[in-house]
Amino acid sequence: MSNLPTFSALQVMQDAPVIPVIVLNDVAHAVPMARALVAGGIRMLEVTLRTPQALACIEAIAREVPEAVVGAGTVRTKADAQAAANAGSRFAVSPGYTSAVGQACRDAGLALLPGVASGSEIMMAQEDGFTELKFFPAMQAGGPAMLKAWSGPFFDVRFCPTGGVTLQNAPEFLALPNVVCVGGSWLVPAEAVAAGDWARVTALALATHALRK
Ligand code: 3PG
């Protein structure tokens, strides 16, 4: 029995040109950071499960920033998926794909953007019913040329390239018909978070709207 996600992966991808990949080390940063992104028109927020504080950050954003839709990134196991859902995540992003993670996200009611970097991984994710995928690590694994090559055999798959994507190279990805949005950490620079420079985060978010397809 699966819980139905309130957002589909496609809706998560279509909301803005960029899904910010967020690393937080301090729960106190979570709410102002989320508000800064929302003020810049970005509401789908991927908080990576890479720090001990990540789940508490997701909880705080889910509780205090209703305009945001918080998701968990770096979801690698069934336990990650369950913990992410319990903390209030509405979607999940994984760096790779296993059927176990796919099923765990379905069971938890989380839309999943599974990470893929090869044709076999795309086929495994498709076999399990996933057709909106994260291409990771995008620049290192072949960049826009790889997505062009995949558009033939995988004509029914849409991608969110992430990894090495910047404001400068994003247009080349977004111009491709099989790319819906990109992901990137550049909207939330570590030094801006450490300094509490939320105006910079809002400015970086606002700058992404010129990328809209
Ligand atoms: C990640 O999971 O680290 C993302 O791919 C972010 O990559 P970036 O820092 O190159 O944007």
Side-chain angles (χ1 to χ4, degrees):
M1 185 67 183
S2 301
N3 289 319
L4 283 180
T6 48
F7 283 92
S8 68
L10 186 59
Q11 285 174 311
V12 172
M13 290 164 88
Q14 283 175 331
D15 209 59
V18 184
I19 298 175
V21 177
I22 302 159
V23 180
L24 291 170
N25 292 291
D26 185 341
V27 183
H29 292 148
V31 167
M33 185 280 317
R35 289 192 177 132
L37 287 171
V38 168
I42 303 273
R43 60 180 196 142
M44 298 288 167
L45 315 184
E46 177 191 338
V47 176
T48 56
L49 301 185
R50 277 180 215 184
T51 62
Q53 299 80 11
L55 288 168
C57 290
I58 289 171
E59 247 172 54
I61 295 167
R63 192 176 54 239
E64 293 180 46
V65 193
E67 310 88 338
V69 178
V70 65
T74 323
V75 170
R76 293 175 298 166
T77 64
K78 185 175 170 178
D80 286 344
Q82 288 166 341
N86 290 341
S89 302
R90 317 275 291 277
F91 65 92
V93 183
S94 59
Y97 182 70
T98 67
S99 291
V101 160
Q103 190 57 48
C105 287
R106 285 218 168 95
D107 291 344
L110 291 174
L112 172 66
L113 262 182
V116 296
S118 74
S120 301
E121 291 160 12
I122 295 172
M123 287 164 65
M124 283 189 269
Q126 273 198 293
E127 225 167 64
D128 290 349
F130 295 96
T131 50
E132 279 81 36
L133 308 176
K134 163 178 163 168
F135 173 32
F136 176 77
M139 281 310 284
Q140 299 84 341
M146 189 73 149
L147 288 160
K148 272 182 212 158
W150 280 344
S151 68
F154 302 115
F155 56 86
D156 48 358
V157 176
R158 283 171 286 196
F159 294 95
C160 168
T162 306
V165 181
T166 62
L167 189 64
Q168 288 67 40
N169 66 17
E172 210 187 329
F173 285 102
L174 289 164
L176 299 172
N178 58 348
V179 169
V180 180
C181 69
V182 299
S185 61
W186 85 86
L187 299 194
V188 187
E191 65 279 8
V193 174
D197 188 355
W198 308 123
R200 179 159 172 227
V201 172
T202 297
L204 288 165
L206 284 171
T208 66
H209 296 295
L211 296 169
R212 194 175 282 281
K213 293 180 90 161

mmCIF file of all heavy atoms in Angstrom, residues 129-177:
data_model
loop_
_atom_site.group_PDB
_atom_site.id
_atom_site.type_symbol
_atom_site.label_atom_id
_atom_site.label_comp_id
_atom_site.label_asym_id
_atom_site.label_seq_id
_atom_site.Cartn_x
_atom_site.Cartn_y
_atom_site.Cartn_z
ATOM 1 N N GLY A 129 8.725 2.671 -12.562
ATOM 2 C CA GLY A 129 7.683 3.682 -12.755
ATOM 3 C C GLY A 129 8.134 5.121 -12.625
ATOM 4 O O GLY A 129 7.304 6.027 -12.589
ATOM 5 N N PHE A 130 9.444 5.355 -12.559
ATOM 6 C CA PHE A 130 9.930 6.740 -12.429
ATOM 7 C C PHE A 130 10.356 7.260 -13.801
ATOM 8 O O PHE A 130 11.207 6.661 -14.460
ATOM 9 C CB PHE A 130 11.116 6.810 -11.453
ATOM 10 C CG PHE A 130 10.733 6.457 -10.044
ATOM 11 C CD1 PHE A 130 10.919 5.172 -9.551
ATOM 12 C CD2 PHE A 130 10.156 7.410 -9.217
ATOM 13 C CE1 PHE A 130 10.537 4.838 -8.250
ATOM 14 C CE2 PHE A 130 9.778 7.089 -7.915
ATOM 15 C CZ PHE A 130 9.968 5.803 -7.430
ATOM 16 N N THR A 131 9.761 8.385 -14.212
ATOM 17 C CA THR A 131 10.086 8.943 -15.530
ATOM 18 C C THR A 131 10.633 10.367 -15.429
ATOM 19 O O THR A 131 11.010 10.954 -16.436
ATOM 20 C CB THR A 131 8.843 8.955 -16.439
ATOM 21 O OG1 THR A 131 7.780 9.565 -15.720
ATOM 22 C CG2 THR A 131 8.439 7.552 -16.850
ATOM 23 N N GLU A 132 10.671 10.928 -14.223
ATOM 24 C CA GLU A 132 11.316 12.227 -14.013
ATOM 25 C C GLU A 132 12.535 11.956 -13.155
ATOM 26 O O GLU A 132 12.412 11.494 -12.008
ATOM 27 C CB GLU A 132 10.381 13.201 -13.285
ATOM 28 C CG GLU A 132 9.387 13.869 -14.206
ATOM 29 C CD GLU A 132 8.191 12.987 -14.507
ATOM 30 O OE1 GLU A 132 7.770 12.247 -13.605
ATOM 31 O OE2 GLU A 132 7.687 13.025 -15.642
ATOM 32 N N LEU A 133 13.717 12.212 -13.703
ATOM 33 C CA LEU A 133 14.948 11.770 -13.055
ATOM 34 C C LEU A 133 15.939 12.918 -12.894
ATOM 35 O O LEU A 133 15.936 13.877 -13.665
ATOM 36 C CB LEU A 133 15.600 10.655 -13.889
ATOM 37 C CG LEU A 133 14.686 9.471 -14.267
ATOM 38 C CD1 LEU A 133 15.436 8.490 -15.169
ATOM 39 C CD2 LEU A 133 14.179 8.748 -13.023
ATOM 40 N N LYS A 134 16.796 12.759 -11.888
ATOM 41 C CA LYS A 134 17.895 13.708 -11.706
ATOM 42 C C LYS A 134 19.113 13.132 -12.430
ATOM 43 O O LYS A 134 19.449 11.962 -12.235
ATOM 44 C CB LYS A 134 18.161 13.843 -10.206
ATOM 45 C CG LYS A 134 19.498 14.444 -9.826
ATOM 46 C CD LYS A 134 19.628 14.568 -8.314
ATOM 47 C CE LYS A 134 21.068 14.773 -7.896
ATOM 48 N NZ LYS A 134 21.205 15.178 -6.493
ATOM 49 N N PHE A 135 19.746 13.918 -13.270
ATOM 50 C CA PHE A 135 20.988 13.482 -13.924
ATOM 51 C C PHE A 135 22.132 13.971 -13.041
ATOM 52 O O PHE A 135 22.372 15.182 -12.939
ATOM 53 C CB PHE A 135 21.059 14.078 -15.321
ATOM 54 C CG PHE A 135 22.355 13.837 -16.045
ATOM 55 C CD1 PHE A 135 23.113 12.684 -15.841
ATOM 56 C CD2 PHE A 135 22.816 14.772 -16.972
ATOM 57 C CE1 PHE A 135 24.307 12.476 -16.511
ATOM 58 C CE2 PHE A 135 24.006 14.565 -17.658
ATOM 59 C CZ PHE A 135 24.758 13.429 -17.423
ATOM 60 N N PHE A 136 22.799 13.039 -12.384
ATOM 61 C CA PHE A 136 23.824 13.399 -11.398
ATOM 62 C C PHE A 136 25.035 12.477 -11.517
ATOM 63 O O PHE A 136 24.863 11.254 -11.608
ATOM 64 C CB PHE A 136 23.251 13.290 -9.974
ATOM 65 C CG PHE A 136 24.279 13.549 -8.916
ATOM 66 C CD1 PHE A 136 24.693 14.841 -8.632
ATOM 67 C CD2 PHE A 136 24.865 12.499 -8.221
ATOM 68 C CE1 PHE A 136 25.670 15.079 -7.667
ATOM 69 C CE2 PHE A 136 25.836 12.731 -7.250
ATOM 70 C CZ PHE A 136 26.230 14.024 -6.982
ATOM 71 N N PRO A 137 26.250 13.005 -11.452
ATOM 72 C CA PRO A 137 26.615 14.425 -11.455
ATOM 73 C C PRO A 137 26.699 14.927 -12.896
ATOM 74 O O PRO A 137 27.489 14.440 -13.691
ATOM 75 C CB PRO A 137 27.990 14.442 -10.770
ATOM 76 C CG PRO A 137 28.581 13.081 -11.034
ATOM 77 C CD PRO A 137 27.433 12.127 -11.273
ATOM 78 N N ALA A 138 25.868 15.902 -13.210
ATOM 79 C CA ALA A 138 25.585 16.254 -14.607
ATOM 80 C C ALA A 138 26.823 16.653 -15.406
ATOM 81 O O ALA A 138 27.053 16.122 -16.495
ATOM 82 C CB ALA A 138 24.540 17.365 -14.644
ATOM 83 N N MET A 139 27.598 17.588 -14.916
ATOM 84 C CA MET A 139 28.750 18.045 -15.710
ATOM 85 C C MET A 139 29.800 16.945 -15.805
ATOM 86 O O MET A 139 30.353 16.689 -16.862
ATOM 87 C CB MET A 139 29.356 19.318 -15.090
ATOM 88 C CG MET A 139 28.583 20.577 -15.409
ATOM 89 S SD MET A 139 28.219 20.792 -17.171
ATOM 90 C CE MET A 139 29.817 21.307 -17.802
ATOM 91 N N GLN A 140 30.044 16.283 -14.686
ATOM 92 C CA GLN A 140 31.087 15.260 -14.649
ATOM 93 C C GLN A 140 30.709 14.032 -15.476
ATOM 94 O O GLN A 140 31.567 13.322 -15.988
ATOM 95 C CB GLN A 140 31.344 14.857 -13.190
ATOM 96 C CG GLN A 140 31.837 15.987 -12.289
ATOM 97 C CD GLN A 140 30.728 16.866 -11.717
ATOM 98 O OE1 GLN A 140 29.613 16.908 -12.199
ATOM 99 N NE2 GLN A 140 31.070 17.599 -10.658
ATOM 100 N N ALA A 141 29.413 13.758 -15.598
ATOM 101 C CA ALA A 141 28.965 12.530 -16.270
ATOM 102 C C ALA A 141 28.591 12.748 -17.735
ATOM 103 O O ALA A 141 28.011 11.860 -18.350
ATOM 104 C CB ALA A 141 27.788 11.917 -15.507
ATOM 105 N N GLY A 142 28.913 13.902 -18.291
ATOM 106 C CA GLY A 142 28.672 14.067 -19.728
ATOM 107 C C GLY A 142 27.972 15.351 -20.132
ATOM 108 O O GLY A 142 27.899 15.653 -21.321
ATOM 109 N N GLY A 143 27.431 16.085 -19.164
ATOM 110 C CA GLY A 143 26.859 17.401 -19.459
ATOM 111 C C GLY A 143 25.715 17.360 -20.474
ATOM 112 O O GLY A 143 25.078 16.322 -20.683
ATOM 113 N N PRO A 144 25.458 18.505 -21.115
ATOM 114 C CA PRO A 144 24.346 18.586 -22.063
ATOM 115 C C PRO A 144 24.446 17.556 -23.191
ATOM 116 O O PRO A 144 23.420 17.054 -23.661
ATOM 117 C CB PRO A 144 24.458 20.017 -22.609
ATOM 118 C CG PRO A 144 25.160 20.779 -21.528
ATOM 119 C CD PRO A 144 26.115 19.815 -20.902
ATOM 120 N N ALA A 145 25.670 17.214 -23.612
ATOM 121 C CA ALA A 145 25.817 16.248 -24.716
ATOM 122 C C ALA A 145 25.236 14.894 -24.331
ATOM 123 O O ALA A 145 24.641 14.191 -25.161
ATOM 124 C CB ALA A 145 27.290 16.116 -25.095
ATOM 125 N N MET A 146 25.399 14.506 -23.080
ATOM 126 C CA MET A 146 24.853 13.229 -22.612
ATOM 127 C C MET A 146 23.321 13.252 -22.673
ATOM 128 O O MET A 146 22.688 12.287 -23.124
ATOM 129 C CB MET A 146 25.322 13.006 -21.169
ATOM 130 C CG MET A 146 25.012 11.652 -20.632
ATOM 131 S SD MET A 146 26.088 10.406 -21.367
ATOM 132 C CE MET A 146 26.185 9.252 -20.014
ATOM 133 N N LEU A 147 22.736 14.363 -22.257
ATOM 134 C CA LEU A 147 21.271 14.469 -22.290
ATOM 135 C C LEU A 147 20.751 14.436 -23.720
ATOM 136 O O LEU A 147 19.692 13.862 -23.991
ATOM 137 C CB LEU A 147 20.830 15.751 -21.575
ATOM 138 C CG LEU A 147 20.986 15.686 -20.058
ATOM 139 C CD1 LEU A 147 21.022 17.083 -19.451
ATOM 140 C CD2 LEU A 147 19.854 14.874 -19.432
ATOM 141 N N LYS A 148 21.497 15.040 -24.638
ATOM 142 C CA LYS A 148 21.095 14.998 -26.060
ATOM 143 C C LYS A 148 21.117 13.559 -26.552
ATOM 144 O O LYS A 148 20.203 13.101 -27.238
ATOM 145 C CB LYS A 148 22.054 15.836 -26.902
ATOM 146 C CG LYS A 148 21.647 17.277 -26.984
ATOM 147 C CD LYS A 148 22.592 18.070 -27.880
ATOM 148 C CE LYS A 148 22.687 19.490 -27.347
ATOM 149 N NZ LYS A 148 23.866 20.215 -27.747
ATOM 150 N N ALA A 149 22.163 12.818 -26.157
ATOM 151 C CA ALA A 149 22.271 11.419 -26.595
ATOM 152 C C ALA A 149 21.128 10.579 -26.010
ATOM 153 O O ALA A 149 20.569 9.716 -26.682
ATOM 154 C CB ALA A 149 23.619 10.851 -26.178
ATOM 155 N N TRP A 150 20.764 10.852 -24.770
ATOM 156 C CA TRP A 150 19.696 10.085 -24.119
ATOM 157 C C TRP A 150 18.315 10.405 -24.696
ATOM 158 O O TRP A 150 17.370 9.620 -24.539
ATOM 159 C CB TRP A 150 19.681 10.383 -22.616
ATOM 160 C CG TRP A 150 20.715 9.623 -21.839
ATOM 161 C CD1 TRP A 150 21.428 8.538 -22.232
ATOM 162 C CD2 TRP A 150 21.135 9.908 -20.487
ATOM 163 N NE1 TRP A 150 22.260 8.131 -21.220
ATOM 164 C CE2 TRP A 150 22.101 8.940 -20.151
ATOM 165 C CE3 TRP A 150 20.775 10.879 -19.545
ATOM 166 C CZ2 TRP A 150 22.723 8.911 -18.896
ATOM 167 C CZ3 TRP A 150 21.392 10.860 -18.294
ATOM 168 C CH2 TRP A 150 22.358 9.886 -17.979
ATOM 169 N N SER A 151 18.168 11.598 -25.318
ATOM 170 C CA SER A 151 16.829 12.002 -25.763
ATOM 171 C C SER A 151 16.297 11.060 -26.854
ATOM 172 O O SER A 151 15.092 10.986 -27.070
ATOM 173 C CB SER A 151 16.831 13.448 -26.250
ATOM 174 O OG SER A 151 17.593 13.536 -27.441
ATOM 175 N N GLY A 152 17.185 10.320 -27.520
ATOM 176 C CA GLY A 152 16.723 9.357 -28.526
ATOM 177 C C GLY A 152 16.068 8.154 -27.869
ATOM 178 O O GLY A 152 14.835 8.005 -27.872
ATOM 179 N N PRO A 153 16.869 7.282 -27.230
ATOM 180 C CA PRO A 153 16.294 6.062 -26.645
ATOM 181 C C PRO A 153 15.369 6.326 -25.458
ATOM 182 O O PRO A 153 14.424 5.574 -25.231
ATOM 183 C CB PRO A 153 17.527 5.264 -26.203
ATOM 184 C CG PRO A 153 18.638 6.259 -26.111
ATOM 185 C CD PRO A 153 18.333 7.316 -27.119
ATOM 186 N N PHE A 154 15.644 7.388 -24.720
ATOM 187 C CA PHE A 154 14.836 7.674 -23.522
ATOM 188 C C PHE A 154 13.957 8.894 -23.768
ATOM 189 O O PHE A 154 13.921 9.836 -22.981
ATOM 190 C CB PHE A 154 15.753 7.864 -22.302
ATOM 191 C CG PHE A 154 16.620 6.667 -22.033
ATOM 192 C CD1 PHE A 154 18.007 6.741 -22.157
ATOM 193 C CD2 PHE A 154 16.051 5.455 -21.683
ATOM 194 C CE1 PHE A 154 18.808 5.622 -21.922
ATOM 195 C CE2 PHE A 154 16.841 4.323 -21.446
ATOM 196 C CZ PHE A 154 18.219 4.410 -21.572
ATOM 197 N N PHE A 155 13.226 8.850 -24.915
ATOM 198 C CA PHE A 155 12.409 9.987 -25.350
ATOM 199 C C PHE A 155 11.303 10.335 -24.370
ATOM 200 O O PHE A 155 10.759 11.420 -24.400
ATOM 201 C CB PHE A 155 11.805 9.683 -26.736
ATOM 202 C CG PHE A 155 11.003 8.403 -26.744
ATOM 203 C CD1 PHE A 155 9.667 8.395 -26.378
ATOM 204 C CD2 PHE A 155 11.619 7.198 -27.085
ATOM 205 C CE1 PHE A 155 8.947 7.209 -26.362
ATOM 206 C CE2 PHE A 155 10.906 6.012 -27.068
ATOM 207 C CZ PHE A 155 9.569 6.009 -26.694
ATOM 208 N N ASP A 156 10.964 9.395 -23.480
ATOM 209 C CA ASP A 156 9.843 9.602 -22.553
ATOM 210 C C ASP A 156 10.328 9.929 -21.130
ATOM 211 O O ASP A 156 9.556 9.838 -20.181
ATOM 212 C CB ASP A 156 8.941 8.361 -22.525
ATOM 213 C CG ASP A 156 9.736 7.070 -22.366
ATOM 214 O OD1 ASP A 156 10.977 7.137 -22.307
ATOM 215 O OD2 ASP A 156 9.113 5.999 -22.307
ATOM 216 N N VAL A 157 11.591 10.331 -20.989
ATOM 217 C CA VAL A 157 12.129 10.667 -19.663
ATOM 218 C C VAL A 157 12.466 12.156 -19.630
ATOM 219 O O VAL A 157 12.969 12.702 -20.613
ATOM 220 C CB VAL A 157 13.407 9.841 -19.371
ATOM 221 C CG1 VAL A 157 14.022 10.263 -18.038
ATOM 222 C CG2 VAL A 157 13.073 8.352 -19.339
ATOM 223 N N ARG A 158 12.184 12.795 -18.484
ATOM 224 C CA ARG A 158 12.553 14.203 -18.313
ATOM 225 C C ARG A 158 13.538 14.327 -17.159
ATOM 226 O O ARG A 158 13.424 13.594 -16.167
ATOM 227 C CB ARG A 158 11.308 15.049 -18.055
ATOM 228 C CG ARG A 158 10.550 15.271 -19.348
ATOM 229 C CD ARG A 158 9.222 15.910 -19.126
ATOM 230 N NE ARG A 158 8.271 14.957 -18.568
ATOM 231 C CZ ARG A 158 6.963 15.135 -18.550
ATOM 232 N NH1 ARG A 158 6.451 16.236 -19.028
ATOM 233 N NH2 ARG A 158 6.162 14.223 -18.032
ATOM 234 N N PHE A 159 14.469 15.256 -17.301
ATOM 235 C CA PHE A 159 15.601 15.308 -16.372
ATOM 236 C C PHE A 159 15.724 16.645 -15.641
ATOM 237 O O PHE A 159 15.351 17.703 -16.158
ATOM 238 C CB PHE A 159 16.910 15.081 -17.141
ATOM 239 C CG PHE A 159 17.027 13.700 -17.727
ATOM 240 C CD1 PHE A 159 16.656 13.459 -19.043
ATOM 241 C CD2 PHE A 159 17.505 12.643 -16.955
ATOM 242 C CE1 PHE A 159 16.769 12.183 -19.594
ATOM 243 C CE2 PHE A 159 17.612 11.375 -17.503
ATOM 244 C CZ PHE A 159 17.245 11.140 -18.816
ATOM 245 N N CYS A 160 16.338 16.520 -14.455
ATOM 246 C CA CYS A 160 16.817 17.672 -13.692
ATOM 247 C C CYS A 160 18.319 17.472 -13.520
ATOM 248 O O CYS A 160 18.751 16.777 -12.600
ATOM 249 C CB CYS A 160 16.127 17.716 -12.327
ATOM 250 S SG CYS A 160 16.879 18.897 -11.180
ATOM 251 N N PRO A 161 19.148 18.030 -14.423
ATOM 252 C CA PRO A 161 20.594 17.877 -14.265
ATOM 253 C C PRO A 161 21.095 18.623 -13.033
ATOM 254 O O PRO A 161 20.698 19.774 -12.806
ATOM 255 C CB PRO A 161 21.167 18.488 -15.543
ATOM 256 C CG PRO A 161 20.049 19.052 -16.311
ATOM 257 C CD PRO A 161 18.767 18.792 -15.613
ATOM 258 N N THR A 162 21.932 17.988 -12.264
ATOM 259 C CA THR A 162 22.465 18.560 -11.023
ATOM 260 C C THR A 162 23.901 18.095 -10.848
ATOM 261 O O THR A 162 24.211 16.931 -11.115
ATOM 262 C CB THR A 162 21.627 18.073 -9.820
ATOM 263 O OG1 THR A 162 20.258 18.359 -10.058
ATOM 264 C CG2 THR A 162 22.053 18.755 -8.529
ATOM 265 N N GLY A 163 24.743 19.000 -10.374
ATOM 266 C CA GLY A 163 26.153 18.656 -10.166
ATOM 267 C C GLY A 163 26.991 19.425 -11.171
ATOM 268 O O GLY A 163 27.001 19.077 -12.358
ATOM 269 N N GLY A 164 27.629 20.501 -10.701
ATOM 270 C CA GLY A 164 28.444 21.315 -11.604
ATOM 271 C C GLY A 164 27.627 22.283 -12.441
ATOM 272 O O GLY A 164 28.151 22.919 -13.349
ATOM 273 N N VAL A 165 26.335 22.418 -12.137
ATOM 274 C CA VAL A 165 25.493 23.362 -12.885
ATOM 275 C C VAL A 165 25.612 24.735 -12.216
ATOM 276 O O VAL A 165 25.634 24.845 -10.986
ATOM 277 C CB VAL A 165 24.019 22.900 -12.928
ATOM 278 C CG1 VAL A 165 23.166 23.880 -13.735
ATOM 279 C CG2 VAL A 165 23.926 21.495 -13.525
ATOM 280 N N THR A 166 25.711 25.772 -13.040
ATOM 281 C CA THR A 166 25.865 27.150 -12.551
ATOM 282 C C THR A 166 24.882 28.056 -13.294
ATOM 283 O O THR A 166 24.270 27.635 -14.291
ATOM 284 C CB THR A 166 27.291 27.670 -12.846
ATOM 285 O OG1 THR A 166 27.463 27.686 -14.287
ATOM 286 C CG2 THR A 166 28.367 26.780 -12.227
ATOM 287 N N LEU A 167 24.781 29.296 -12.817
ATOM 288 C CA LEU A 167 23.931 30.266 -13.521
ATOM 289 C C LEU A 167 24.416 30.420 -14.968
ATOM 290 O O LEU A 167 23.613 30.644 -15.876
ATOM 291 C CB LEU A 167 23.977 31.617 -12.788
ATOM 292 C CG LEU A 167 22.996 32.683 -13.256
ATOM 293 C CD1 LEU A 167 21.547 32.261 -13.016
ATOM 294 C CD2 LEU A 167 23.260 34.014 -12.565
ATOM 295 N N GLN A 168 25.724 30.272 -15.169
ATOM 296 C CA GLN A 168 26.305 30.474 -16.503
ATOM 297 C C GLN A 168 25.999 29.307 -17.453
ATOM 298 O O GLN A 168 25.686 29.518 -18.618
ATOM 299 C CB GLN A 168 27.824 30.663 -16.389
ATOM 300 C CG GLN A 168 28.254 32.000 -15.784
ATOM 301 C CD GLN A 168 27.884 32.153 -14.310
ATOM 302 O OE1 GLN A 168 27.983 31.212 -13.525
ATOM 303 N NE2 GLN A 168 27.429 33.336 -13.934
ATOM 304 N N ASN A 169 26.123 28.067 -16.970
ATOM 305 C CA ASN A 169 25.900 26.946 -17.902
ATOM 306 C C ASN A 169 24.466 26.406 -17.868
ATOM 307 O O ASN A 169 24.094 25.570 -18.696
ATOM 308 C CB ASN A 169 26.934 25.817 -17.693
ATOM 309 C CG ASN A 169 26.812 25.118 -16.348
ATOM 310 O OD1 ASN A 169 25.801 25.235 -15.675
ATOM 311 N ND2 ASN A 169 27.844 24.388 -15.946
ATOM 312 N N ALA A 170 23.638 26.884 -16.944
ATOM 313 C CA ALA A 170 22.249 26.409 -16.856
ATOM 314 C C ALA A 170 21.471 26.587 -18.167
ATOM 315 O O ALA A 170 20.702 25.697 -18.554
ATOM 316 C CB ALA A 170 21.522 27.083 -15.695
ATOM 317 N N PRO A 171 21.639 27.723 -18.902
ATOM 318 C CA PRO A 171 20.843 27.892 -20.120
ATOM 319 C C PRO A 171 21.056 26.774 -21.144
ATOM 320 O O PRO A 171 20.118 26.381 -21.846
ATOM 321 C CB PRO A 171 21.322 29.240 -20.674
ATOM 322 C CG PRO A 171 21.781 29.993 -19.468
ATOM 323 C CD PRO A 171 22.399 28.953 -18.576
ATOM 324 N N GLU A 172 22.281 26.254 -21.204
ATOM 325 C CA GLU A 172 22.555 25.181 -22.169
ATOM 326 C C GLU A 172 21.758 23.919 -21.816
ATOM 327 O O GLU A 172 21.292 23.194 -22.696
ATOM 328 C CB GLU A 172 24.059 24.875 -22.136
ATOM 329 C CG GLU A 172 24.585 24.396 -23.457
ATOM 330 C CD GLU A 172 26.034 23.935 -23.374
ATOM 331 O OE1 GLU A 172 26.792 24.490 -22.553
ATOM 332 O OE2 GLU A 172 26.367 22.990 -24.109
ATOM 333 N N PHE A 173 21.610 23.661 -20.531
ATOM 334 C CA PHE A 173 20.796 22.512 -20.097
ATOM 335 C C PHE A 173 19.316 22.787 -20.339
ATOM 336 O O PHE A 173 18.588 21.954 -20.876
ATOM 337 C CB PHE A 173 21.015 22.234 -18.604
ATOM 338 C CG PHE A 173 22.320 21.569 -18.275
ATOM 339 C CD1 PHE A 173 23.381 22.280 -17.751
ATOM 340 C CD2 PHE A 173 22.486 20.202 -18.477
ATOM 341 C CE1 PHE A 173 24.584 21.660 -17.438
ATOM 342 C CE2 PHE A 173 23.675 19.571 -18.166
ATOM 343 C CZ PHE A 173 24.730 20.300 -17.641
ATOM 344 N N LEU A 174 18.880 23.984 -19.926
ATOM 345 C CA LEU A 174 17.441 24.289 -19.978
ATOM 346 C C LEU A 174 16.919 24.412 -21.405
ATOM 347 O O LEU A 174 15.715 24.300 -21.635
ATOM 348 C CB LEU A 174 17.162 25.575 -19.175
ATOM 349 C CG LEU A 174 17.308 25.391 -17.658
ATOM 350 C CD1 LEU A 174 17.416 26.748 -16.958
ATOM 351 C CD2 LEU A 174 16.139 24.591 -17.086
ATOM 352 N N ALA A 175 17.827 24.604 -22.354
ATOM 353 C CA ALA A 175 17.404 24.683 -23.757
ATOM 354 C C ALA A 175 17.028 23.309 -24.306
ATOM 355 O O ALA A 175 16.370 23.215 -25.343
ATOM 356 C CB ALA A 175 18.526 25.278 -24.597
ATOM 357 N N LEU A 176 17.410 22.248 -23.616
ATOM 358 C CA LEU A 176 17.143 20.894 -24.122
ATOM 359 C C LEU A 176 15.689 20.508 -23.841
ATOM 360 O O LEU A 176 15.170 20.758 -22.745
ATOM 361 C CB LEU A 176 18.082 19.884 -23.443
ATOM 362 C CG LEU A 176 19.579 20.136 -23.684
ATOM 363 C CD1 LEU A 176 20.419 19.203 -22.816
ATOM 364 C CD2 LEU A 176 19.917 19.934 -25.159
ATOM 365 N N PRO A 177 15.025 19.855 -24.808
ATOM 366 C CA PRO A 177 13.616 19.506 -24.610
ATOM 367 C C PRO A 177 13.393 18.504 -23.474
ATOM 368 O O PRO A 177 12.300 18.462 -22.904
ATOM 369 C CB PRO A 177 13.192 18.904 -25.952
ATOM 370 C CG PRO A 177 14.377 18.918 -26.838
ATOM 371 C CD PRO A 177 15.527 19.569 -26.161
#
